[in-house]
Amino acid sequence: MGVEIEPATRARFDDVAVVLGPKNPTSSVCWCLSHRLDSRTNRELVGPARRKYVRELTGRPVAPGVLAYDEGEVVGWAAVAPRAELPFERSRKIPHVDDLPVWSLWCIRVRPGHRGRGIAHALVRGAVDYAAANGAPAVEGYPADNGSRRVDPTMAFVGTRSLFEKAGFTKAADTDAVAGGFPRVLMRRPLP
């Protein structure tokens, strides 16, 4: 499969909007901000303000995530950032394993029509590579521990334990979080 992974920079913002943005520009969809922002700020950002916020994120020196391309078409997104910048840092449901300044990988989105082709696997690998290139000592994910049962597509953005295991992550801790009725586990992959 010829999937390429690229950082979600300002030059690629239109592609970020294709994957994360609403069809109606005034809608208040997630834009992958629900777990990036504290709940108050997340509630206050509505409609076009969410797009503007994500556009600003793409202009930072470290991109807010990575994009997947298949033959030049954007087909997916993965959010990855230092945990210290995220609400996960203060979460009561997602524990800290230790004091390492880990990065979190918390959202994986593959566009409809492109699912079931390994793009989520490429996104996880690409997010890990991006974190490593930016000095992360380890990457954590908080996927659903669903066994072989199907995860509701609206909650599948957290990924599954097996998806993370196939990318070299191991279970580091249980959490008190749930996604789609399944417990979430803290998966970690140390980086060289």
Side-chain angles (χ1 to χ4, degrees), residues 18-93:
V18 166
V19 179
L20 300 178
K23 290 180 182 167
N24 178 345
T26 61
S27 295
S28 288
V29 298
C30 179
W31 276 95
C32 203
L33 293 175
S34 298
H35 295 287
R36 184 180 291 276
L37 303 172
D38 63 87
S39 58
R40 180 178 179 211
T41 304
N42 187 48
R43 281 191 311 275
E44 290 173 353
L45 277 176
V46 295
R50 296 180 79 74
R51 176 187 177 95
K52 182 179 177 192
Y53 191 91
V54 173
R55 182 170 165 73
E56 289 170 9
L57 285 174
T58 63
R60 294 171 40 186
V62 175
V66 296
L67 295 163
Y69 292 87
D70 186 9
E71 296 183 15
E73 180 183 6
V74 66
V75 294
W77 154 270
V80 62
R83 181 175 170 154
E85 296 178 5
L86 307 167
F88 295 115
E89 182 68 12
R90 299 169 301 284
S91 176
R92 293 188 189 126
K93 293 185 176 191

Side-chain angles (χ1 to χ4, degrees), residues 8 80 161 164:
V80 62
R161 180 176 177 163
F164 280 81

Side-chain angles (χ1 to χ4, degrees), residues 91-104:
S91 176
R92 293 188 189 126
K93 293 185 176 191
I94 308 285
H96 285 259
V97 174
D98 53 35
D99 292 332
L100 267 181
V102 301
W103 282 41
S104 295

Side-chain angles (χ1 to χ4, degrees), residues 143-147 149 159-162 165 171 174 179 182-185:
D145 193 0
N146 63 316
R149 294 168 290 172
T160 61
R161 180 176 177 163
S162 66
E165 285 174 339
K171 181 181 171 188
D174 289 314
F182 298 106
R184 292 174 73 181
V185 289

